[in-house]
Amino acid sequence: MRILAYEIEHISLPDEDPNWKFAGQAYPTNDACILTIIAEDGTRGLGYAAAFPHLAATALGVEGALQRICAGLVGRDVMAIEGNLHFVSGALVGNHPAKAAIDCALHDLKARLLEVPLYELLGGKVVDRIAICRMLGLKAPHEMAERAQRLVDQGYRHLKLKVGGEVRDDIARLAAVRKQVGDAVRLVADPNQSYRAKDAIAFAQRAVDYDVDIIEQPVRTDDLEGLRHVTQMSSIAIEADESAYSAESTYRLAATGAIDAVSLKVPKMGGLRAVQTAARICEVAHLGCRMGANVGSQLLAAHALHLAVTLPNLTYACELAEFQKLLNDPFEGLTVHDGYLSVPDGPGVGVHRRATQ
């Protein structure tokens, strides 16, 4: 069976909160390309290319990368995923979100042809559902506390607070949320690179009072020595996000003892295969890992979910339900129940397009 053709569709998903932001960035809309790879018999596999500027990916850049790479996939064997991904890797430097969409579409297409859920191609599931951590955008302390309570009322028991790089202000955010939701809810703090190492250590020392489980990417991506120093000085687990942008960078972080854990993301790392490799590196290096914020359509979340349920070494709740805050999602099929997301059991990725009115 050969690849016959491909299609690319632009989408833009507004955030229900147009003022949602994190340190240094604001995304009132989430732009992306939907990639469809079509086999000779008409079977279609789907992938999602997130156009995130902080991943050096714009909508036009993602589309250009998809056009360039996918043209070379036409005529290749649908079933030869490893060979196809080797071609994809060498066809273009960078643009991991585009490569991730191709990786996901190839896996989805093969799973649909075999009439099995996607997770069967990834080793088979070890669990049926994943605990979900929801994010709180960067706002004043009382606003974050109010939004935290809404999420807790919906059944979530893990929350991640975006913080902004000022110790006093960020501790006030933690204090307000902890006071509001009580001791049973687990908290993560994410400065998104906004601290210098010295201040990150001060923040970590004070955050202990609010029972924070993880501090995610406290310092700049390229400040690996600073990251390692914060990790050494903090009793709270330090997690790499932007610094762990590939399997190779994950290996370097593990080898130097710079971190305690890694946030795995399909668009950031370049696809399911790359994330799976990074997870295995974490496993052998005895590092924590979880699926981080795969923000976008249910299509993207479903791909990440299928991989998550196959990984026996996930150590914390995953951020796979941020699609709930986006409007006009063309896909459906995922449902969060009591703070957990269950994996679909249908062929392929298990989500489908919404019926048009």
Side-chain angles (χ1 to χ4, degrees), residues 9-15 27-34 48-51 59 296-297 326-330:
E9 170 192 356
H10 285 276
I11 65 169
S12 184
L13 308 180
D15 198 297
Y27 286 146
T29 62
N30 287 257
D31 298 324
C33 291
I34 303 297
Y48 184 92
S297 165
L326 302 183
L327 307 177
N328 304 333
D329 190 344

Side-chain angles (χ1 to χ4, degrees), residues 112 116-120 125 127-129 298-299 301-307 309 332-335 341-352:
R112 290 178 189 273
V116 298
L118 176 55
Y119 59 73
E120 295 290 6
K125 63 182 178 180
V127 294
D128 294 315
R129 62 179 191 162
Q298 288 194 35
L299 176 61
H303 279 287
L305 176 61
H306 274 269
L307 178 54
V309 298
E332 62 183 355
L334 298 182
T335 303
L341 189 57
S342 297
V343 66
D345 283 323
V349 73
V351 296
H352 53 273

Side-chain angles (χ1 to χ4, degrees), residues 184-239:
V185 175
R186 311 288 292 273
L187 299 182
V188 175
D190 183 8
N192 284 107
Q193 310 179 65
S194 59
Y195 277 112
R196 294 184 178 183
K198 183 176 181 180
D199 292 331
I201 292 168
F203 172 70
Q205 290 171 342
R206 295 185 62 183
V208 170
D209 294 338
Y210 303 99
D211 198 19
V212 173
D213 294 328
I214 298 170
I215 298 175
E216 180 181 328
Q217 196 66 46
V219 300
R220 294 192 323 270
T221 299
D222 58 354
D223 186 11
L224 298 186
E225 181 55 33
L227 185 62
R228 188 169 68 87
H229 186 47
V230 176
T231 299
Q232 290 175 336
M233 297 298 293
S234 172
S235 61
I236 298 173
I238 302 300
E239 179 181 73

Side-chain angles (χ1 to χ4, degrees), residues 107-119:
H107 279 91
D108 184 36
L109 179 56
K110 182 172 181 177
R112 290 178 189 273
L113 286 167
L114 295 175
E115 299 183 344
V116 298
L118 176 55
Y119 59 73

